[in-house]
Amino acid sequence: MASTPRHVVGVAETGGRDGTVRRRPSGEPPPLVREDRWTRWIWVLAAVLVLGAALDVLIRTTDLIETADQAVVSWFARARTPALTRLAGTVAVLTTFAAVMALRWATVIVLLWYRRFRHLVVFVATLVVTDWLVVRLLVAELPRPEVPVLVDVDAYAFPSRSVSPLAITLFAMTFVLLPRGTGRDRLRAASVAVLVLVALADLYLAADYLSGMLYAAILAPSMADVAFRWLVPEEGFPVTYRKQGTAAHLDLSGERGTAIVRAMADQLGLRVTEVKAFGLEGSAGSSPLRMTLADGSRVFGKIYSTGHDRADRWYRFGRTILYGQLEDETPLGSVRRLATYEDYALRLLADCQLRVARTYGVVELTPNQEYMLVTEFFEHATNLGDAEIDDTVIDEGLHMVRTFWDIGVAHRDIKPANLLVRDGHLQLVDVSGLEVRPSPWRQAIDLSNMMLVLALRTDPGRVYARATKVFTPDEIAEAFAAAVGMTIPTELQAKMKADGRPLLDRFRQLAPARQPISIQRWSAQRLVLTAAAVVGTLTLVVLFLDSLRAGLV
């Protein structure tokens, strides 16, 4: 069994603890120095937009930039040869409407195939907004070059209407096709190389001017960085090619791994010798890990970051549009509150004699951005979805829900991954979604999900018979009347489908008949969010059509 620090919960000290807790002095950096890079890129984007506006005014009022552009095009024209002309014409194909749209549609198809819809929405929105900025907001018409033009060009403008759509497409693709790391860096470098070749080809063919192409190549990465780092940060929406969906799992190696070891020693007095990811399959809203202490014992940790909090807000936004406010939920508002709330929930349930992990407390990795909850690690425990269970485990699961009802809480995420069997008894894990004084509807959902989880390892008749010793038939009927659609966790739905038995229908047959409870709830909030989503979508469509009419690509 894992050790528990004396200064946290008052039990015996073990060899994994050195007995010292160090307070970080004022001015000393935290264990993990990390910044929200999208805020930095907002300032970069703002500066780029101001630069574009200033250049636009300069182009309209003076001939300084035009003279420089004409000189550059003339220099390239003097170097023309038949072989270089053929090569430049081949490279320039990349800026055509067909080539750019082929890249965009290929990316859209990949995102649809792997069900990364948030990346898809941000990808399309970034392209449309950037195209519109180039066509309508920052546009300045330029005269034709004074040298022969070797390709058909309708008009010349600042920013470049040929390079801009290709540039934003390439840089947006780097964020949605490859995860952060070496692969993405290489694709980004390749994109820069392609843009350099395209710019050289267009200058050679007199198809565009250097100022417009250079500005488009600066604007594109700025737009892409702000959009993707802000709306779909890697911590909350990692790029993955698993069709089962994404999970917000952080990289535990490198600086973060070192920071975890340091923070555990300084803040809890625990000497960590190994940090390893653990239980990733059943966790989508945090990064779970297992830490080995100096004495060989182990503890469990869950890291919450701003990316996880942002992902949760996206989820709530989409769910409210689809279903309305299903219950009286209040967003926690910060990552620190998310971690400290789960610590509180564990202590509350432990006080009520429920089998949960003992908590060590909360460790700060980055102030206001990244925190880790440290708890007991259940040694020699088996996930309920893989365990052989008896009537004792069934009764403990049902009594657990009964206790939830009696003390006025709801777990809100009962599924196989959150239930363990250890030494023949049921253990509850992951109480991050615990809600105090929930709606009766939510309490009923806890009961139906618990019975479905137990039936996966036994049979509905056996579970129902045990349930009637704890709940009335009417309460059970209410629970399965409320078990509709998204009220059943995704993992539980997948295991029910793999099991093949009609577990839900069987429980409804055993319980008294009751009409299904609708999960649709209309409210002013839902109407406003739905209207905002519709208006936003229509705006993107209008901007896209406007860009097409202006002949951007």
Side-chain angles (χ1 to χ4, degrees), residues 191-521:
S191 299
V192 172
V194 168
L195 292 177
V196 169
L197 290 176
V198 167
L200 293 175
D202 279 359
L203 290 172
Y204 178 90
L205 299 170
D208 214 331
Y209 290 119
L210 179 61
S211 61
M213 291 189 292
L214 184 60
Y215 181 77
I218 296 174
L219 176 64
S222 303
M223 290 291 296
D225 273 276
V226 169
F228 289 98
R229 294 184 192 277
W230 177 32
L231 298 175
V232 281
E234 192 76 17
E235 291 83 1
F237 307 97
V239 174
T240 178
Y241 286 93
R242 295 174 298 172
K243 289 188 181 180
Q244 291 82 0
T246 63
H249 298 146
L250 302 172
D251 181 12
L252 301 180
S253 61
E255 293 182 354
R256 182 172 284 106
T258 302
I260 291 172
V261 174
R262 175 186 166 190
M264 288 286 288
D266 287 353
Q267 299 174 36
L268 296 183
L270 294 175
R271 299 194 303 273
V272 174
T273 59
E274 182 186 48
V275 177
K276 188 175 182 180
F278 179 83
L280 300 181
E281 298 80 5
S283 176
S286 64
S287 292
L289 60 144
R290 184 184 64 199
M291 292 169 282
T292 303
L293 304 182
D295 65 343
S297 61
R298 296 186 289 190
V299 294
F300 180 74
K302 289 175 64 176
I303 299 179
Y304 292 104
S305 72
T306 51
H308 298 125
D309 183 54
R310 205 168 295 156
D312 182 65
R313 288 199 296 269
W314 270 83
Y315 168 76
R316 291 174 186 270
F317 179 85
R319 196 193 66 175
T320 300
I321 291 176
L322 292 175
Y323 303 105
Q325 191 170 9
L326 299 182
E327 55 188 298
D328 187 19
E329 286 184 350
T330 302
L332 293 176
S334 71
V335 178
R336 174 161 43 190
R337 289 183 179 178
L338 186 63
T340 55
Y341 183 80
E342 184 170 1
D343 178 71
Y344 156 78
L346 286 170
R347 298 175 190 273
L348 172 65
L349 296 181
D351 288 344
C352 297
Q353 308 305 310
L354 286 168
R355 293 178 179 271
V356 294
R358 296 195 306 274
T359 175
Y360 286 47
V362 176
V363 169
E364 180 184 75
L365 298 177
T366 306
N368 302 315
Q369 294 187 49
E370 201 161 308
Y371 293 83
M372 179 172 65
L373 175 67
V374 183
T375 68
E376 169 190 10
F377 179 77
F378 289 129
E379 300 281 4
H380 311 298
T382 305
N383 187 286
L384 183 63
D386 302 318
E388 295 297 327
I389 66 176
D390 54 18
D391 287 347
T392 299
V393 173
I394 295 174
D395 290 342
E396 288 178 346
L398 296 169
H399 279 285
M400 183 181 293
V401 176
R402 182 80 258 179
T403 303
F404 289 163
W405 288 20
D406 293 341
I407 65 177
V409 302
H411 185 271
R412 297 179 58 240
D413 195 23
I414 292 179
K415 58 186 180 182
N418 289 339
L419 296 165
L420 303 177
V421 176
R422 182 189 185 197
D423 298 329
H425 295 283
L426 194 64
Q427 301 276 358
L428 178 66
V429 297
D430 192 356
V431 298
S432 58
L434 192 81
E435 186 173 0
V436 178
R437 294 302 163 194
S439 65
W441 172 85
R442 171 50 68 185
Q443 290 181 313
I445 290 299
D446 272 358
L447 175 57
S448 62
N449 286 339
M450 179 62 79
M451 293 180 67
L452 288 170
V453 169
L454 295 171
L456 282 171
R457 302 303 299 168
T458 54
D459 64 84
R462 180 180 175 185
V463 173
Y464 182 84
R466 308 298 298 184
T468 55
K469 300 179 182 296
V470 186
F471 301 92
T472 68
D474 286 340
E475 288 174 332
I476 299 174
E478 176 192 353
F480 286 100
V484 179
M486 56 82 64
T487 63
I488 304 175
T490 303
E491 185 209 4
L492 180 53
Q493 291 188 38
K495 288 189 176 294
M496 290 169 59
K497 183 177 180 181
D499 182 85
R501 294 176 294 166
L503 302 179
L504 191 58
D505 291 339
R506 180 56 182 153
F507 276 124
R508 287 172 176 164
Q509 293 171 0
L510 293 169
R514 175 153 182 177
Q515 290 295 319
I517 299 174
S518 175
I519 61 175
Q520 292 291 338
R521 295 290 185 272

Side-chain angles (χ1 to χ4, degrees), residues 3 13-18 271 293-297:
S3 60
E13 182 179 327
T14 72
R17 170 172 160 75
D18 62 11
R271 299 194 303 273
L293 304 182
D295 65 343
S297 61

